[in-house]
Amino acid sequence: MIDLFECCGEIASVGIIVDFSEDTETYIVGTPADIKAWAYGGCPLKAPKGLMRHSNKAGNLVKDINRLMKVKYELNEIMDLSEKLCNADALCDGSCNSVLEELSEYYDISEYANIVKNYIIYFLFSKFKLRQRDFNKKIGLSVKGNHDRAEKYIELFKADSEKIFRPFVSARAADIFDIRTAIRGSNDVLDSSLYRVHDDSRNISLYVANDSILTLLDIYSDIMSDAGRLITNCENCGQLMITKRSNASLTCGRTTCKKERLYKANDDYKKRAMADPIKETYLNFDNKCRSYRKKLSGYPDLLEKYNKAFDERREKIRAFKSGLTVNSSTKDIDRYNQMCFDSCQDLQDYSKRLKAKIDKIK
């Protein structure tokens, strides 16, 4: 078992340092007292006994949450172990220790560890050890007395487990993890600390969340907000993402989501246009003429000639269209419709003539 679990205390804390200049996030997991001592020691790269230090790219925290939402078995394994610990008989006879040992082995010390999952593991281990120590302080003389007291401490551990898993269980039910909803839906007191370290070469702000994953998320949201960034959800896939406040994106960086967003925007525009006969006529004209262009792809000189003719026709139609409304006279609307129809015919014929030149070349 690593020193982190051997030295765990009553409160499970996680500190975070976000350095945007280096594009990194640093996490420190342990007890409040040990993290405080680490801060007063200047936040050294090598964490002392009883603490675990992790580092990754800025924005890593939301990616870890996305992973736990997508790869459900990773969190399910931890939830199953937590359920195994909720056994009064195992607490009485000490067989719960093997389950605790198994839980600690799920903690990932690698460079790209999921810090959210790691913190949940450390939190559960710390809380169970707390309940176990309290139970062992006073062992009853009767088997029933011991069992009754064990049930009491198991219920306290169940409450701790429910607290740490609640945001993810609720998010699974809603099929989306919304940080703001998770924080607002909690009645827990968000307990945190802040340490500022200044020396000749660097200024460090270490934020520490105590006994709560929601406190960590609340701190993280504030850090991002202060840096002009927002934590939101992709409108297409629903995953968490970080975007700049000044130029907020509606979708995450995945190509499929960008394409889906563009397709939906175009589809919405078409639906609105189809509800307006004037827009519908223009949309039909534009779509048809663009399809004629495709036959000229690969021949830049001919395509340039077609585009010039198309632009001239389009500008005349737009100029006439700008003066129309649904309340315009039937005569004007009919004239507009005829103009669009004639332009389509002319551009189709022009496209065919240009296409004939291509066939001759071949």
Side-chain angles (χ1 to χ4, degrees):
M1 185 181 295
I2 59 177
D3 291 339
L4 175 68
F5 295 98
E6 295 286 359
C7 302
C8 73
E10 297 184 0
I11 298 175
S13 297
V14 54
I16 182 169
I17 300 169
V18 181
D19 187 342
F20 291 104
S21 66
E22 297 292 333
D23 194 33
T24 60
E25 291 178 0
T26 299
Y27 313 93
I28 192 77
V29 180
T31 67
D34 286 341
I35 294 178
K36 181 179 180 180
W38 181 73
Y40 274 79
C43 303
L45 293 179
K46 184 177 180 180
K49 180 180 178 180
L51 290 178
M52 186 63 68
R53 181 183 178 278
H54 302 275
S55 185
N56 215 315
K57 281 190 172 184
N60 176 72
L61 195 66
V62 298
K63 292 180 180 179
D64 285 348
I65 295 173
N66 286 337
R67 180 179 172 181
L68 287 180
M69 287 293 294
K70 186 177 181 180
V71 189
K72 295 183 178 180
Y73 80 86
E74 289 195 346
L75 190 59
N76 289 345
E77 291 172 337
I78 307 305
M79 295 174 76
D80 289 343
L81 287 174
S82 176
E83 185 65 28
K84 287 182 181 180
L85 288 171
C86 295
N87 185 310
D89 291 332
L91 180 58
C92 288
D93 62 23
S95 59
C96 58
N97 291 327
S98 62
V99 183
L100 267 181
E101 178 72 27
E102 185 179 359
L103 176 64
S104 69
E105 291 173 355
Y106 274 85
Y107 193 99
D108 187 355
I109 62 174
S110 68
E111 181 179 359
Y112 300 106
N114 187 317
I115 187 63
V116 178
K117 178 182 174 182
N118 274 355
Y119 178 67
I120 292 173
I121 293 168
Y122 178 68
F123 175 92
L124 292 171
F125 190 100
S126 298
K127 292 306 170 187
F128 190 85
K129 289 296 291 185
L130 169 64
R131 306 310 174 191
Q132 187 182 43
R133 284 193 294 267
D134 288 343
F135 169 74
N136 289 333
K137 285 178 181 177
K138 184 179 179 181
I139 302 298
L141 297 178
S142 68
V143 173
K144 184 178 182 306
N146 284 341
H147 193 275
D148 288 346
R149 291 184 63 255
E151 288 285 1
K152 169 188 171 183
Y153 289 110
I154 290 298
E155 287 303 314
L156 291 174
F157 176 69
K158 284 182 179 179
D160 294 327
S161 301
E162 192 275 335
K163 173 185 175 182
I164 199 73
F165 290 131
R166 186 191 311 143
F168 298 93
V169 173
S170 299
R172 284 183 177 183
D175 202 28
I176 188 170
F177 195 109
D178 186 311
I179 287 182
R180 290 166 297 182
T181 300
I183 294 171
R184 288 197 299 262
S186 171
N187 294 322
D188 298 333
V189 175
L190 303 184
D191 181 17
S192 63
S193 305
L194 168 62
Y195 301 99
R196 296 195 186 277
V197 180
H198 303 282
D199 60 26
D200 295 336
S201 60
R202 57 181 180 162
N203 297 317
I204 300 174
S205 293
L206 169 64
Y207 299 86
V208 182
N210 300 314
D211 264 358
S212 171
I213 193 69
L214 292 181
T215 305
L216 176 62
L217 297 182
D218 188 48
I219 289 171
Y220 195 69
S221 297
D222 287 344
I223 293 173
M224 290 298 159
S225 180
D226 290 344
R229 306 182 188 194
L230 296 172
I231 301 176
T232 185
N233 297 88
C234 173
E235 286 196 356
N236 184 58
C237 68
Q239 287 194 138
L240 286 169
M241 64 179 191
I242 300 174
T243 184
K244 291 184 179 179
R245 185 188 299 275
S246 58
N247 187 25
S249 175
L250 297 174
T251 57
C252 63
R254 296 194 303 171
T255 302
T256 53
C257 288
K258 290 180 179 179
K259 286 183 177 179
E260 285 292 331
R261 173 65 189 174
L262 182 60
Y263 174 81
K264 184 178 183 300
N266 290 336
D267 189 51
D268 290 345
Y269 170 75
K270 290 178 181 179
K271 288 178 180 178
R272 292 194 300 270
M274 291 303 181
D276 184 330
I278 295 172
K279 289 182 178 179
E280 181 181 357
T281 300
Y282 178 81
L283 189 62
N284 287 333
F285 153 77
D286 191 62
N287 287 339
K288 287 180 180 179
C289 292
R290 290 180 185 278
S291 69
Y292 305 151
R293 176 191 289 116
K294 292 180 180 179
K295 299 177 181 179
L296 303 172
S297 61
Y299 297 88
D301 294 341
L302 299 179
L303 188 59
E304 184 179 354
K305 291 180 179 180
Y306 177 85
N307 286 339
K308 183 178 179 181
F310 172 71
D311 290 341
E312 289 174 354
R313 292 281 186 168
R314 182 174 59 178
E315 289 307 312
K316 290 179 181 180
I317 290 173
R318 283 180 171 177
F320 194 90
K321 175 176 171 286
S322 64
L324 291 178
T325 67
V326 291
N327 298 319
S328 296
S329 67
T330 302
K331 180 181 178 180
D332 286 341
I333 292 178
D334 287 344
R335 183 183 171 192
Y336 166 74
N337 289 337
Q338 190 64 47
M339 181 186 296
C340 290
F341 177 80
D342 291 343
S343 295
C344 274
Q345 291 297 111
D346 292 343
L347 287 166
Q348 184 181 32
D349 292 340
Y350 187 50
S351 174
K352 288 179 179 179
R353 292 197 300 272
L354 293 173
K355 179 68 164 57
K357 292 183 179 181
I358 297 174
D359 295 336
K360 286 182 179 180
I361 296 172
K362 292 180 179 178

